[in-house]
Amino acid sequence: MVNALQGVLLACDIPSKEYILRLNEEKSQNEKFLLEELDDTHLFVKAVAVEHLQKKLKEFQQRNTYEIPRREHT
């Protein structure tokens, strides 16, 4: 018998991958979205989780991006 799973391949950098893994660990067993950790930069996740992950990753990147302070013109 063949067991098939519908999912999406995510390619990301290592910090983003670690953040996604942490998000998955915070979920209850029936809410987990990670299907397979493939290598250092690739994950296979449930398709229904992609929109949520995109939102969470955007927030994560905004919190962790340095912006050069603006200088006031005098």
Side-chain angles (χ1 to χ4, degrees):
M1 179 175 191
V2 176
N3 193 10
L5 299 171
Q6 183 177 3
V8 174
L9 176 65
L10 293 182
C12 54
D13 60 7
I14 293 173
S16 295
K17 178 190 166 206
E18 292 301 319
Y19 180 67
I20 292 168
L21 292 174
R22 186 176 67 87
L23 289 174
N24 187 64
E25 286 301 313
E26 292 174 351
K27 300 283 185 188
S28 65
Q29 190 62 35
N30 62 342
E31 294 177 321
K32 291 187 186 275
F33 52 81
L34 181 65
L35 298 173
E36 190 71 38
E37 186 176 348
L38 303 173
D39 61 28
D40 287 344
T41 58
H42 295 90
L43 299 169
F44 191 58
V45 299
K46 293 179 182 177
V48 297
V50 171
E51 190 174 315
H52 172 71
L53 289 174
Q54 288 174 330
K55 179 182 172 222
K56 288 298 213 177
L57 280 169
K58 185 175 182 177
E59 293 170 1
F60 173 73
Q61 290 170 342
Q62 287 175 344
R63 286 193 312 265
N64 292 294
T65 300
Y66 177 76
E67 291 186 26
I68 298 173
R70 291 181 147 195
R71 292 192 292 176
E72 293 184 27
H73 296 288
T74 56

